[in-house]
Every structure is written in structure tokens, then in C-alpha cells.
Amino acid sequence: SITDNEVVGMDIAEAQANSPLSLVTRSFPETIITWGDNETLEFKRQSRALGLKLRQQATKVDVFESPDRNHFDVVHDLCAPATKLGQRVQRLLKV
């Protein structure tokens, strides 16, 4: 079976080097992490892992699943005040 890394043409070293997990520092800004409920288990696991690592670094982070979304269409909720993501973005930006 083909792996996700093979689909995007990366080996394990490239995937690790490009992972957001490698960018987490104590000075990381307040963050929102969301994923669609129509994602793979691995996508969800990695999103939760990033949220956990940020919390371990004392970063304020909001982590949640967005209903009826995937990583291609969740961006439609960014400015939609009726959605959880839209509300959290407005709160983060203090709009």
C-alpha cells in the first residue's frame, strides 16, 4: 500500500523536517488548530499531537474538530461567525 509521504513525494526525513512539530518553541504565538471530521485518523492524530506539544510549551492553543469539513474546505469557516472556527478567529483577533 502507498503511504501519505509517497503520495506527496517525501521521505521520512523530509516529512519530519517539514512538520509543524519542529517549529514549536516557547515563544510560539497563541494558536488555533482545527481539522474536519472528514479527515483521516492520521490527520486528526497529527493535529492533536501539535496541540499537545504547544500546550506542553505553555502556548495558549484552541484545539477542536470542525463538523462536515476537511482540510480543503475548513477555510470557508474562517470568517463565518456562525461557526466555531469563525468565532474563535474573531476572538483571537479581538474583532
Side-chain angles (χ1 to χ4, degrees):
S1 98
I2 200 162
T3 67
D4 291 338
N5 285 342
E6 290 170 330
V7 170
V8 294
M10 284 192 287
D11 61 25
I12 295 298
E14 288 172 307
Q16 289 172 340
N18 289 295
S19 171
L21 288 169
S22 66
L23 303 174
V24 173
T25 64
R26 291 203 182 276
S27 62
F28 207 88
E30 184 175 346
T31 302
I32 299 169
I33 298 173
T34 190
W35 58 90
D37 67 342
N38 297 322
E39 297 291 356
T40 65
L41 292 176
E42 182 61 14
F43 198 98
K44 293 176 182 187
R45 184 197 67 75
Q46 290 179 27
S47 297
R48 289 183 181 109
L50 179 57
L52 178 61
K53 187 165 183 181
L54 286 167
R55 284 190 178 117
Q56 291 170 338
Q57 296 294 323
T59 299
K60 186 173 180 183
V61 61
D62 200 353
V63 179
F64 58 94
E65 185 168 278
S66 292
D68 302 317
R69 292 293 189 202
N70 61 49
H71 60 281
F72 293 111
D73 62 11
V74 73
V75 297
H76 296 293
D77 291 352
L78 285 170
C79 296
T83 66
K84 187 174 184 176
L85 178 57
Q87 292 165 5
R88 303 296 169 87
V89 167
Q90 286 183 348
R91 187 180 320 144
L92 181 66
L93 298 174
K94 298 176 182 31
V95 175

